[in-house]
Amino acid sequence: MSDDRKKVIFSAIQPTGTFTLGNYLGAVRNWSPLQDEYNCIYAIADLHAITVKQEPKLLRQHTLEAYALLLACGIDPNKSIFFIQSHVRTHVELSWILSCSTQFGELSRMTQFKDKSAKHTDDVNAGLFTYPVLMAADILAYKSDLVPVGQDQKQHLELARNIAQRFNSRYGDTLVVPEPYIPKTGAKIMSLQDPTKKMSKSDENPNACILILDDKDTIVRKFKRAVTDSESEVCYREGKDGINNLMSIYSSVTGKSFDEITSEFAGKGYGDFKIAVGETVADALASVRDGFNRYINDKAYLKECYTKGAEMALKVSSRNVSKVYHKVGFVDNELYR
Ligand code: TRP
């Protein structure tokens, strides 16, 4: 009963094949603790993924891997609705309706569209352009109150709010206008090789980026090679981008404050600090790696989870989307439910 009064949180992640320490500390690690306090709805955004070229076989594999990885990160299909976006048809259906409440000019102003269309000049497809409308549909189909998003998705969330408000003023109060959810923790993780750049799996230097599924030796080795500065004191200070990044990582994994870290490593050099960060990160990721290996090899369990998730997601969202259909003026359809 009290469940009905819990706020709804929606978030989704694209099945990119590999996830980085940045994805982990900045996003998915924070999703699991939310499950007790909120009604959480989480999806693997495979529909979004095809806005750029994908190898179909790999997309299927990466989608299952992303699902298994999130289970390993603590998403509990008994507590949350956890599904694969393409399994739930209401997302695409609502997306069309919302696209008719979205202006061409608004979409043209999206910085991600501008960046991606500049990068993929041979395939500036309409899906790349309407991507934020589908994202708005993901969120609005569940009457979501809160959406945890990183910096790069803020503009899309703002657009989703504008679309919801516009729809409501045209058709009457129907959609919930979502708020961004800013997690209490969630440091921005920078490249280990150029700490002024965000950590990215597409970095050409493999030492720049820690992958969630890297083994311990690899993780420690990458941290040992992390770029720092010519000083020797482990402390957080402007200009010490490399050390600041390592401190943020260490702090977000251990919960220690910067001051505590500075005293822990007083009198020790960067070398000791780097090894400590590497080992701590590797140990924290060990259970995720074990869980991932277990889930990805249990296809029957995976299927049971994502099927149940899609069933629940469809039930909730089709109730909301059929209200939207009615408000728009479509003839009620008994088959829809
Ligand atoms: N576009 C998001 C990303 O690439 C993923 C996503 C899809 C999403 N639908 C969403 C995030 C809805 C939040 C809410 O990171």
Side-chain angles (χ1 to χ4, degrees), residues 168-183:
N168 287 345
S169 65
R170 192 185 290 178
Y171 297 109
D173 235 5
T174 316
L175 301 169
V176 171
V177 181
E179 303 281 341
Y181 175 85
I182 315 291

Side-chain angles (χ1 to χ4, degrees), residues 47 85 88-97 134 137-138:
L47 294 171
Q85 186 189 28
V88 183
R89 58 180 160 77
T90 43
H91 293 238
V92 176
E93 294 169 348
L94 182 58
S95 178
W96 173 254
I97 310 289
L134 178 60
D138 295 341

Side-chain angles (χ1 to χ4, degrees), residues 187-325:
K188 186 171 178 195
I189 308 300
M190 313 304 278
S191 156
L192 298 185
Q193 292 295 318
D194 176 359
T196 59
K197 275 191 343 201
K198 197 177 142 182
M199 181 181 282
S200 158
K201 60 173 185 307
S202 48
D203 206 301
E204 64 276 2
N205 184 340
N207 289 322
C209 175
I210 302 290
L211 303 176
I212 297 189
L213 298 176
D214 277 346
D215 61 35
K216 184 164 182 171
D217 288 350
T218 309
I219 294 175
V220 174
R221 181 168 35 82
K222 288 180 181 176
F223 274 107
K224 276 189 190 161
R225 292 183 186 167
V227 169
T228 48
D229 51 63
S230 55
E231 298 174 14
S232 62
E233 196 199 355
V234 177
C235 65
Y236 197 98
R237 202 178 328 119
E238 199 172 329
K240 291 170 75 80
D241 294 326
I243 287 293
N244 293 350
N245 186 35
L246 295 183
M247 287 185 77
S248 304
I249 294 172
Y250 193 63
S251 161
S252 70
V253 177
T254 59
K256 292 177 185 165
S257 69
F258 291 155
D259 285 345
E260 285 167 335
I261 299 172
T262 297
S263 24
E264 185 180 345
F265 291 94
K268 297 183 189 154
Y270 286 173
D272 287 344
F273 179 51
K274 289 181 187 176
I275 293 175
V277 180
E279 289 184 342
T280 309
V281 168
D283 292 344
L285 291 177
S287 70
V288 176
R289 225 165 23 241
D290 291 349
F292 173 79
N293 289 326
R294 206 168 52 245
Y295 292 124
I296 200 64
N297 289 310
D298 191 349
K299 293 287 185 306
Y301 180 70
L302 277 183
K303 188 173 178 185
E304 185 189 314
C305 293
Y306 63 67
T307 306
K308 185 173 81 178
E311 234 164 29
M312 296 200 294
L314 182 63
K315 200 166 151 212
V316 176
S317 59
S318 58
R319 202 165 53 226
N320 296 333
V321 174
S322 53
K323 277 187 202 133
V324 167
Y325 270 37

Side-chain angles (χ1 to χ4, degrees), residues 3-70:
D3 266 10
D4 292 340
R5 282 194 296 271
K6 281 189 188 172
K7 288 197 168 174
V8 175
I9 285 209
F10 184 97
S11 203
I13 193 158
Q14 290 195 47
T16 47
T18 42
F19 291 103
T20 68
L21 184 64
N23 298 131
Y24 180 69
L25 294 178
V28 290
R29 185 184 64 152
N30 305 308
W31 290 6
S32 140
L34 299 172
Q35 297 178 111
D36 295 318
E37 207 177 323
Y38 299 99
N39 278 331
C40 294
I41 306 180
Y42 296 131
I44 306 298
D46 55 347
L47 294 171
H48 279 104
I50 63 164
T51 53
V52 297
K53 204 159 158 262
Q54 300 282 343
E55 181 61 46
K57 246 188 160 151
L58 276 182
L59 176 61
R60 210 174 340 268
Q61 181 193 325
H62 290 164
T63 302
L64 291 174
E65 285 174 358
Y67 197 95
L69 191 63
L70 263 61

Side-chain angles (χ1 to χ4, degrees), residues 10-12 14 45 48 131 135 138-139 147 149 153:
F10 184 97
S11 203
Q14 290 195 47
H48 279 104
Y131 174 118
M135 186 164 151
D138 295 341
I139 297 164
V147 183
V149 281
Q153 298 297 320

